[in-house]
Amino acid sequence: MRLLHTSDWHLGRSFHRVALLDAQAAFLDHLVATVRERAVDAVLVAGDVYDRAVPPLTAVELFDTALHRLADAGVPTVMISGNHDSARRLGVGAGLIERAGIHLRTDPAGAGTPVVLADAHGDVALYGLPYLEPALVREQFGAEKAGHEAVLSAAMDRVRADLASRPEGTRSVVLAHAFVAGGEASDSERDITVGGVDSVPAGVFDGVDYVALGHLHGSQTLTPRVRYSGSPLAYSFSEADHRKTMWLIDLGADGAVETAERVDCPVPRPLARIRGRLDDLLADPGLTRHEESWVEATLTDPVRPAEPMARLAERFPHTLHLVFEPERTEGDPQVSYARRLRGRDDRQIAEDFVAHVRGGTGPDGAERTVLYGAFDAVRVDAAQREVSDR
């Protein structure tokens, strides 16, 4: 069975205030063409269809058009909600849409109920695990702890139990939206850390033939059976070196991944990160290849130059982001605050602040629990308000 694995469309998102709707439409054209030209048997969309819970109408219309085109192609599509999506909104009409071969899996209660497809070698059970917010689904799954590993393990127990009840030789595929250990993050993914822990071990998914992951925006192979497709478009300059693709997976008669091919996605405009003094960047012949790219420029001039964006735009008209990092010695007290914070997440910054105001002593275990709990509470509160929105 040939599967096309994609995720993290983020319909409605912009790139540094540049609208991406046309680029997203071009990607969906490419997706449908690939489905038709490469004899795809099923499309897997592993979450974050939209960029936010209440997407703009233009994004909803684009999604609606994509569903109609996939249904017209006669190829089943299995789609889960991600942490950016409103599961309730995305799942509206799921029962009716399913009649057209579009299977929306947004309700955690359906984790153990697969979409069953068949080929010449028998059945393939496809299980959709929508993004599971631990605080909201812990009781439903009977998980001992309110963490990602606990709730995903409980959901996978339901998957394995259902799979065990099916005829011998039934192959299995799981779609999930999570941060799995070993994956490499970028700057454009929303933090899903709970209690200071953001990742789950790949072993959570043991017992199934293929795991189609979403959430991380870089295409990655954690094991031959566990893969991220990554986002089809770049959504931050940290993705400048990404090759944006979908996975074309051939699942063999015995459930083995016989082939895994990366299918390149259309690139609306390449990304470039350039660094140096302004005059040097404007004169460097080696940067000619970036003159039509979207550019992030980091200026290292000791003194901020006059009208830097306007001057950069004369050579690089698609400059979108400007960063100032003056050349200084490591001991210089004027080293920028942003530079001191680089590479630290919100929790580490909070711990550093506690250490700063105490003169070097960071939070103890109990205080760290309170800090982490505060961050978790903010995220969970937003999720609960979305769920309770009538």
Side-chain angles (χ1 to χ4, degrees):
M1 182 168 286
R2 176 162 287 181
L3 310 170
L4 185 63
H5 168 197
T6 177
S7 73
D8 295 274
W9 296 354
H10 290 279
L11 300 181
R13 188 164 184 159
S14 61
F15 184 77
H16 290 272
R17 298 180 299 282
V18 174
L20 291 178
L21 200 67
D22 288 345
Q24 291 171 334
F27 159 68
L28 292 172
D29 288 344
H30 173 65
L31 171 70
V32 174
T34 301
V35 167
R36 294 182 181 276
E37 295 167 6
R38 302 301 299 272
V40 169
D41 295 306
V43 176
L44 314 178
V45 186
D48 280 354
V49 173
Y50 292 121
D51 188 56
R52 56 183 186 266
V54 184
L57 180 58
T58 50
V60 176
E61 291 172 338
L62 183 58
F63 178 61
D64 180 64
T65 300
L67 293 187
H68 278 84
R69 296 176 68 189
L70 288 169
D72 289 343
V75 176
T77 297
V78 183
M79 185 177 297
I80 63 172
S81 50
N83 61 301
H84 279 248
D85 298 309
S86 164
R88 290 181 61 209
R89 290 185 174 90
L90 185 63
V92 169
L96 184 61
I97 294 171
E98 190 157 10
R99 298 181 188 178
I102 308 294
H103 307 273
L104 297 174
R105 292 295 186 259
T106 63
D107 185 352
T113 304
V115 176
V116 180
L117 305 179
D119 62 11
H121 306 291
D123 289 346
V124 178
L126 297 96
Y127 300 87
L129 310 185
Y131 171 69
L132 303 174
E133 176 56 57
L136 301 183
V137 302
R138 174 186 176 183
E139 293 184 3
Q140 180 179 351
F141 282 99
E144 294 183 1
K145 299 179 179 179
H148 289 294
E149 182 175 356
V151 296
L152 265 175
S153 295
M156 282 302 301
D157 286 344
R158 294 189 181 187
V159 168
R160 285 183 282 263
D162 179 84
L163 189 58
S165 71
R166 296 189 175 273
E168 185 176 352
T170 299
R171 289 159 289 167
S172 54
V173 174
V174 165
L175 290 77
H177 197 87
F179 191 162
V180 178
E184 183 177 345
S186 62
D187 292 343
S188 54
E189 298 117 3
R190 184 178 296 167
D191 182 26
I192 57 172
T193 302
V194 175
V197 179
D198 57 4
S199 65
V200 301
V204 164
F205 300 103
D206 285 351
V208 297
D209 295 314
Y210 184 71
V211 181
L213 293 174
H215 180 58
L216 299 184
H217 288 183
S219 178
Q220 300 171 60
T221 300
L222 304 186
T223 78
R225 296 178 183 272
V226 182
R227 299 171 188 262
Y228 282 100
S229 67
S231 60
L233 298 171
Y235 292 117
S236 72
F237 277 102
S238 66
E239 301 170 47
D241 294 330
H242 286 190
R243 175 187 164 197
K244 295 301 185 181
T245 59
M246 302 178 285
W247 282 111
L248 194 65
I249 302 293
D250 284 330
L251 200 63
D254 61 353
V257 176
E258 293 185 342
T259 61
E261 176 187 346
R262 292 180 70 182
V263 179
D264 289 290
C265 298
V267 178
R269 192 179 294 278
L271 307 186
R273 306 178 97 173
I274 61 177
R275 180 185 181 89
R277 296 192 177 196
L278 179 57
D279 288 340
D280 293 340
L281 296 179
L282 296 177
D284 187 351
L287 299 180
T288 300
R289 67 187 188 278
H290 298 316
E291 289 179 353
E292 294 303 316
S293 300
W294 279 324
V295 169
E296 176 189 72
T298 299
L299 301 184
T300 61
D301 302 70
V303 178
R304 182 175 180 134
E307 300 183 333
M309 182 63 87
R311 293 173 63 190
L312 278 167
E314 291 179 2
R315 183 181 186 189
F316 307 102
H318 304 288
T319 302
L320 300 181
H321 191 216
L322 199 55
V323 180
F324 291 96
E325 290 187 2
E327 297 168 352
R328 302 185 190 280
T329 63
E330 288 300 321
D332 192 324
Q334 296 186 47
V335 171
S336 73
Y337 181 66
R339 186 174 175 184
R340 295 199 304 272
L341 298 184
R342 184 180 299 119
R344 294 179 171 88
D345 61 27
D346 290 343
R347 289 157 185 78
Q348 292 170 321
I349 292 171
E351 290 186 30
D352 290 347
F353 174 76
V354 173
H356 172 73
V357 298
R358 285 180 173 170
T361 303
D364 59 25
E367 292 167 333
R368 188 174 289 109
T369 298
V370 172
L371 281 174
Y372 288 178
F375 283 108
D376 294 347
V378 171
R379 189 194 66 259
V380 171
D381 178 66
Q384 287 175 326
R385 283 189 282 107
E386 189 277 313
V387 169
S388 62
D389 180 17
R390 298 297 178 182

